Amino acid sequence: MDIIFMLIGCSFIIALFFLLAFFWASKNGQHEDTYTPSVRILFDDELKSGTKKDKKA
């Protein structure tokens, strides 16, 4: 029975850690840009200078 209380305490501490990490990420602007990642896949990657694309039909 004692192990259940220990597991509940450990899970509470881990949940509190993840909650604090979420608030820290929100405070630092991690979740501000939600539009760009959804449209990034629609744009082609730019070529690096000095590389050529092979055009084979």
Side-chain angles (χ1 to χ4, degrees):
M1 190 68 176
D2 291 334
I3 194 72
I4 293 175
F5 294 127
M6 187 187 78
L7 289 174
I8 290 172
C10 289
S11 64
F12 179 73
I13 291 171
I14 291 171
L16 185 63
F17 170 74
F18 280 111
L19 183 65
L20 291 174
F22 172 75
F23 285 135
W24 175 79
S26 294
K27 180 182 174 188
N28 289 328
Q30 183 72 25
H31 307 291
E32 286 181 2
D33 186 16
T34 59
Y35 179 71
T36 303
S38 64
V39 297
R40 187 180 303 153
I41 196 169
L42 300 175
F43 299 111
D44 289 334
D45 293 335
E46 293 182 15
L47 292 177
K48 294 180 182 177
S49 61
T51 61
K52 296 180 183 178
K53 279 189 176 179
D54 293 332
K55 293 185 178 181
K56 295 180 181 179

